[in-house]
Amino acid sequence: MNKDYDLIVIGGGPAGIMSAGRAAENGAKVLLLEKNDRLGVKLAITGKGRCNITHAEFNIQALIKSYGKTGKFLYSAFNKFGPEDIVQFFNNRNLLTKVERGDRVFPDNAKAYDVIDVLKLYLKKNGVDIIYNANVDSIESSKNKIDKIILKDGREFIAKEYAICTGGKSYPLTGSTGEGYDWLSNMGHNIITPKPSLTAIVVKENFVKDLEGLSLKNVEANVYQDNKKVLSNFGEALFTNNGLSGPIIIDSSKNIGELLEKGDVELQLDFKPALSDEVLDKRIQKDFAEGSNRLFRNSLNALLPQKLIPVMIKLSKIDPEKKVNSVTKDERKGLIKLFKYFPLTVVKLAGFNRAIVTAGGVDIKEVNPQTMRSRIVQNLFIAGEVLDLDGPTGGYNLQICWSTGYIVGENFNKDKI
Ligand SMILES: Cc1cc2nc3c(=O)[nH]c(=O)nc-3n(C[C@H](O)[C@H](O)[C@H](O)COP(=O)(O)OP(=O)(O)OC[C@H]3O[C@@H](n4cnc5c(N)ncnc54)[C@H](O)[C@@H]3O)c2cc1C
């Protein structure tokens, strides 16, 4: 049993790595415990393997607005170590970055593994001890103080301070399985129920199976509850085997989840948001007039992707063998409705397996935003996704980890506030 660590960090994801590295840089003797056989398993798959490191919004006031209700908690951490600082951090270590569409910051060479390599070197240079395959089973505490950490294989570790950086519950195969919530709850922390966020949605309509893999650019997803439009998002959507995914769905998913708790949710896709109903009608009439002897089933090629046409024809209830010159005005109106208000009934959000982040987690009222120190357990810090903080896609979620982790490393041996 090793007794002389200043800080033990549990979890080798971005938050844990930054906590450990910065604390060591500030002179602490640090041990990092990771249950996988390597660091940053989830980090490696971020941004489709390219790692959207952060969001290039350097005005902190503006940045925190993107995090919703809990965003204010991040104000101090972002001021201390915000998007500009993490970009500098990587640039200073020879990892160049570029800003892409939507202010998303990526490594210049588009490789998440290079981000991990820089972080590993940061830990090594500052002398952080790392134990891999170190699956923490339990934390023993008394009088609001952690006494020791016990691994599944029975090994025990003691330090002056501890940091829990075990992430959320999403993509559990990466190691983020949510044990942190249990330990923290046992030690007296309130855990806001973890829920999948930034995820796909499951819909009732079986025909989506036929559309699986179809990606649609420049569409609008309009979300309705009680016949009122409550949400609208424009961009790219993707059909899955049981629903929808893609950027506009993923970014709406947290709100959709909240709406589902209140009642039924309908999602209408507008395949032609740039055209009003009237303009689209004129366009269809023109197409029909130009090929008036064409069969209806052959008449939509210029307007829709191939995969969508059989579904649209079926839902329109227009006889596919009918010549377009005999399609009635009412039938055309029904068709336009499908183009502009393609209805899908949302059943639920896809589960943790497909969620990019976990909403919910440690109640931030119980954590000091200046230090990331627990207000309940004296010698404990908490950082990263395990906290009740989450943002939209675009580098916002990793920024939470870099900033809160850095703050741990800045405060590991300061007075307990
Ligand atoms: C597919 C996907 C793509 C994403 N893309 C982006 C992106 O491009 N940009 C962005 O900002 N965000 C992205 N995210 C979100 C981002 O990856 C997470 O918010 C971030 O990884 C959370 O970091 P963390 O350090 O808090 O936790 P994690 O990265 O989850 O790390 C926690 C670590 O703790 C370890 N651990 C857990 N329990 C134990 C235990 N009992 N004992 C020992 N170790 C344990 C785990 O093995 C894991 O390594 C993406 C997420 C996913 C799933």
Side-chain angles (χ1 to χ4, degrees):
M1 189 152 57
N2 200 327
K3 294 189 180 180
D4 60 358
Y5 284 108
D6 295 313
L7 178 70
I8 291 180
V9 178
I10 311 175
I17 294 172
M18 193 50 88
S19 303
R22 185 62 187 160
E25 199 173 16
N26 279 329
K29 190 156 168 33
V30 183
L31 173 66
L32 177 58
L33 298 173
E34 167 53 52
K35 79 157 108 152
N36 289 318
D37 59 3
R38 57 198 189 281
L39 298 178
V41 172
K42 185 177 280 180
L43 191 54
I45 58 164
T46 55
K48 298 194 175 125
R50 297 172 61 227
C51 187
N52 181 187
I53 297 169
T54 185
H55 198 82
E57 173 56 83
F58 302 138
N59 177 323
I60 303 303
Q61 290 282 11
L63 180 68
I64 59 172
K65 286 207 178 104
S66 303
Y67 291 87
K69 281 180 267 178
T70 48
K72 277 195 192 127
F73 176 88
L74 289 162
Y75 190 77
S76 156
F78 283 172
N79 263 316
K80 189 92 194 163
F81 193 77
E84 222 167 349
D85 303 296
I86 191 67
V87 167
Q88 282 261 301
F89 175 93
F90 285 114
N91 291 171
N92 290 345
R93 289 165 178 79
N94 295 326
L95 187 102
L96 299 181
T97 46
K98 61 181 168 191
V99 180
E100 293 194 0
R101 188 175 46 85
D103 290 337
R104 289 158 195 252
V105 181
F106 287 91
D108 202 24
N109 63 359
K111 285 197 194 117
Y113 278 108
D114 286 354
V115 171
I116 297 172
D117 283 346
V118 169
L119 293 169
K120 273 166 45 186
L121 199 61
Y122 180 55
L123 296 177
K124 195 171 171 197
K125 273 198 169 156
N126 290 295
V128 174
D129 286 346
I130 307 172
I131 305 184
Y132 296 102
N133 302 308
N135 198 343
V136 175
D137 183 49
S138 59
I139 298 182
E140 271 189 24
S141 65
S142 53
K143 295 187 191 136
N144 295 331
K145 214 166 169 232
I146 295 180
D147 297 322
K148 63 178 168 187
I149 282 174
I150 305 164
L151 302 195
K152 281 219 168 26
D153 61 14
R155 280 180 288 172
E156 298 184 353
F157 295 93
I158 288 180
K160 292 188 192 98
E161 312 256 32
Y162 301 83
I164 294 182
C165 305
T166 42
K169 285 177 99 165
S170 58
Y171 271 66
L173 286 177
T174 62
S176 327
T177 40
E179 293 98 294
Y181 301 127
D182 301 335
W183 308 326
L184 287 156
S185 164
N186 288 341
M187 289 189 283
H189 269 285
N190 178 34
I191 307 296
I192 312 289
T193 308
K195 290 186 188 134
S197 190
L198 300 187
T199 189
I201 58 168
V202 177
V203 302
K204 194 171 98 188
E205 291 74 14
N206 289 327
F207 61 72
V208 291
K209 206 168 176 27
D210 301 331
L211 301 174
E212 184 178 359
L214 174 65
S215 169
L216 299 168
K217 290 206 169 77
N218 303 325
V219 293
E220 200 169 86
N222 295 307
V223 178
Y224 288 80
Q225 185 155 62
D226 299 331
N227 296 320
K228 257 193 247 134
K229 196 203 278 194
V230 281
L231 206 64
S232 183
N233 213 342
F234 170 82
E236 189 177 344
L238 169 78
F239 281 98
T240 67
N241 67 336
N242 61 2
L244 277 174
S245 184
I248 59 171
I249 301 302
I250 285 174
D251 268 335
S252 307
S253 60
K254 187 174 181 188
N255 289 325
I256 293 176
E258 284 164 6
L259 291 167
L260 281 167
E261 283 176 11
K262 291 191 245 160
D264 295 341
V265 178
E266 186 179 73
L267 189 143
Q268 296 181 356
L269 282 175
D270 184 347
F271 298 128
K272 298 286 169 199
L275 307 180
S276 66
D277 294 19
E278 294 71 33
V279 173
L280 179 62
D281 191 18
K282 282 202 183 102
R283 163 81 199 271
I284 289 175
Q285 285 187 59
K286 187 168 149 271
D287 280 11
F288 282 6
E290 277 167 10
S292 59
N293 280 325
R294 222 184 294 145
L295 299 180
F296 175 58
R297 68 179 155 86
N298 295 328
S299 68
L300 300 175
N301 295 354
L303 283 165
L304 289 170
Q306 280 304 316
K307 210 167 185 171
L308 192 53
I309 293 174
V311 173
M312 285 288 272
I313 288 180
K314 194 159 176 212
L315 293 176
S316 75
K317 299 201 179 88
I318 302 172
D319 178 359
E321 304 303 324
K322 195 174 193 172
K323 289 199 172 139
V324 288
N325 60 12
S326 52
V327 171
T328 66
K329 189 176 171 193
D330 277 353
E331 285 175 329
R332 222 176 52 238
K333 293 271 179 246
L335 184 62
I336 285 155
K337 220 172 156 209
L338 282 177
F339 267 93
K340 300 282 296 171
Y341 312 92
F342 189 83
L344 293 162
T345 319
V346 184
V347 178
K348 59 178 182 179
L349 297 186
F352 282 112
N353 285 351
R354 280 159 71 184
I356 287 175
V357 287
T358 304
V362 179
D363 192 338
I364 50 173
K365 288 202 283 299
E366 299 172 349
V367 178
N368 184 330
Q370 317 277 340
T371 59
M372 297 302 140
R373 205 177 258 290
S374 159
R375 295 190 199 272
I376 308 250
V377 184
Q378 286 174 41
N379 54 350
L380 173 65
F381 295 95
I382 309 167
E385 198 178 315
V386 71
L387 293 165
D388 176 27
L389 296 168
D390 59 279
T393 58
Y396 293 97
N397 288 294
L398 282 176
Q399 188 59 51
I400 296 176
C401 304
W402 310 130
S403 300
T404 56
Y406 187 91
I407 294 293
V408 172
E410 285 293 89
N411 289 280
F412 77 95
N413 64 353
K414 299 242 172 88
D415 289 345
K416 297 171 177 57
I417 309 164

